[in-house]
Amino acid sequence: MTDEPIHTPLLMLDRVARRYVQGEATVDVLVDASGVIEAGEVVALIAPSGTGKSTLLHVAGLLERPDSGEVWFEGRPTVGLSDAERTAMRRNEVGFVYQFHHLLPEFSALENVVMPQLIRGLTSSEAKSRAKDLLSYLGLGARLQHRPSELSGGEQQRVAIARAVANAPKLLLADEPTGNLDPTTSAHVFSTLIALARASGLAAIVATHNLELAGTLDRRITLRDGVLVDA
């Protein structure tokens, strides 16, 4: 008899707690939150504002350390890693998209996508080639040299998506990525984001208030009283 291989999820939150002190009060945002994200799985995180969605994404993406519990990435515990190790893991394995694009205004769309690749160590030619491919895939092939102020809101957010996946991360975390866009543009950007995630084979957690868009993903999760549950 041969032993079956042990299954290792891409991301596992194990009884994660996160709390903040406000004046004399302590606010428990995450309370024994546990959950698993598989490689290639695209999950919607839906919950009202103020329930801890952003905190959950920050902990999952190693931007914040939990007060207790563990965050496992490909079977590796991360809470005890040094700041330098956590930074390297974020840079190489995790991509972030926020509600506001946070593009560098003095640089072109192409340069914004090239920059994280140069930081990782790719050559300029390699970085430019991948940036052009990503931006073209997202429908921005004719906008490579435009600065953020010369792009529409939807175009800016698509550049931000390209930047988030430029280093071929294994996990994409998107925090209300279409929250600042009108409904038509929102639907287009959302579908583009999901298509890119699926084409790249990466896992994604997408926080959104849009239940219709959330229903198109593999499954939905939510936060109830600081606990992560299926929606």
Side-chain angles (χ1 to χ4, degrees):
M1 178 182 294
T2 58
D3 293 334
E4 293 185 4
I6 298 175
H7 172 69
T8 302
L10 177 70
L11 176 72
M12 182 171 71
L13 305 181
D14 184 16
R15 303 192 68 178
V16 166
R18 188 75 174 101
R19 64 188 64 89
Y20 301 99
V21 176
Q22 296 181 348
E24 297 182 356
T26 299
V27 179
D28 291 311
V29 180
L30 301 177
V31 182
D32 284 347
S34 297
V36 167
I37 304 296
E38 302 289 354
E41 187 178 31
V42 183
V43 178
L45 173 59
I46 55 173
S49 297
T51 55
K53 295 193 302 297
S54 294
T55 298
L56 179 71
L57 294 179
H58 288 171
V59 170
L62 311 186
L63 287 171
E64 295 185 31
R65 295 181 194 268
D67 294 298
S68 62
E70 184 59 83
V71 179
W72 299 80
F73 196 93
E74 293 189 310
R76 182 185 183 187
T78 64
V79 171
L81 297 178
S82 68
D83 288 342
E85 289 172 321
R86 288 165 63 86
T87 297
M89 185 172 284
R90 281 198 308 272
R91 182 173 61 240
N92 298 331
E93 309 291 354
V94 185
F96 296 90
V97 182
Y98 298 98
Q99 185 169 344
F100 185 71
H101 56 76
H102 294 299
L103 299 174
L104 298 173
E106 65 271 29
F107 295 104
S108 68
L110 182 67
E111 290 167 336
N112 267 280
V113 181
V114 163
M115 200 165 301
Q117 300 178 75
L118 296 180
I119 293 172
R120 185 174 184 179
L122 270 69
T123 66
S124 179
S125 59
E126 289 173 326
K128 286 181 180 178
S129 176
R130 177 163 172 78
K132 288 178 181 178
D133 288 345
L134 283 169
L135 290 168
S136 296
Y137 179 87
L138 294 171
L140 296 169
R143 311 288 276 171
L144 301 180
Q145 301 305 326
H146 289 67
R147 294 185 179 183
S149 61
E150 300 170 315
L151 302 173
S152 69
E155 289 171 336
Q156 291 170 344
Q157 201 63 333
R158 278 182 280 159
V159 175
I161 291 168
R163 180 184 58 187
V165 301
N167 281 336
K170 295 177 180 177
L171 175 66
L172 178 66
L173 301 173
D175 193 356
E176 297 287 354
T178 62
N180 284 334
L181 306 176
D182 65 82
T184 300
T185 304
S186 174
H188 177 63
V189 171
F190 193 93
S191 63
T192 302
L193 169 65
I194 301 311
L196 181 59
R198 296 200 186 284
S200 304
L202 52 79
I205 306 175
V206 184
T208 180
H209 287 297
N210 191 315
L211 297 182
E212 182 178 354
L213 295 178
T216 66
L217 304 189
D218 297 330
R219 61 187 175 95
R220 301 187 301 181
I221 57 178
T222 189
L223 283 164
R224 292 181 187 152
D225 299 323
V227 178
L228 195 60
V229 297
D230 291 330

